[in-house]
Amino acid sequence: MAKRFNRDGSNGELKGILTWKSPSWIAGLNLNLDRPLRLHAVAPTTAEIDAKLAYKLNDHWQLGIEKYSFLGPLHSRVAGMNPSHSTFLTADFSVAKWDLSVGLGQARGDVTDKLIVKAIIGIPI
């Protein structure tokens, strides 16, 4: 396995999720802590806070805004792991039993790609 992207080989993520729903609105907040699973890992533990606010048009469509904030390493500064933020306009919808989330976003901070297209496909199991 090539390790040019992740020298530690495997990672774990601890995710805390808070949501609030009303008949017309959905709001969510996630705190993510990521850490390599190796005992003497090269990469540090990092934190990210994500947020979402969406308006339900009907039972199958939502339009919203999402913000992803990478805060960086918890304990020390690491070159190439500076804070960054991405903001997306999103549409969430269903096709048959599949859930789709698509968005167009802009990133700020120490990132290479400033314009981002995202898609998440929820597959029923």
Side-chain angles (χ1 to χ4, degrees), residues 42-103:
V42 174
T45 301
T46 60
E48 180 175 322
I49 294 178
D50 304 331
K52 176 177 186 157
L53 180 64
Y55 181 77
K56 292 191 248 180
L57 298 173
N58 57 43
D59 288 341
H60 303 285
W61 279 89
Q62 298 174 23
L63 297 177
I65 188 165
E66 296 179 12
K67 175 126 178 146
Y68 298 85
S69 297
F70 177 72
L71 304 176
L74 289 182
H75 297 294
S76 61
R77 294 190 58 111
V78 176
M81 296 189 96
N82 297 318
S84 63
H85 307 279
S86 301
T87 305
F88 291 88
L89 293 176
T90 61
D92 298 337
F93 54 96
S94 299
V95 176
K97 293 184 178 182
W98 295 48
D99 294 325
L100 300 159
S101 176
V102 296

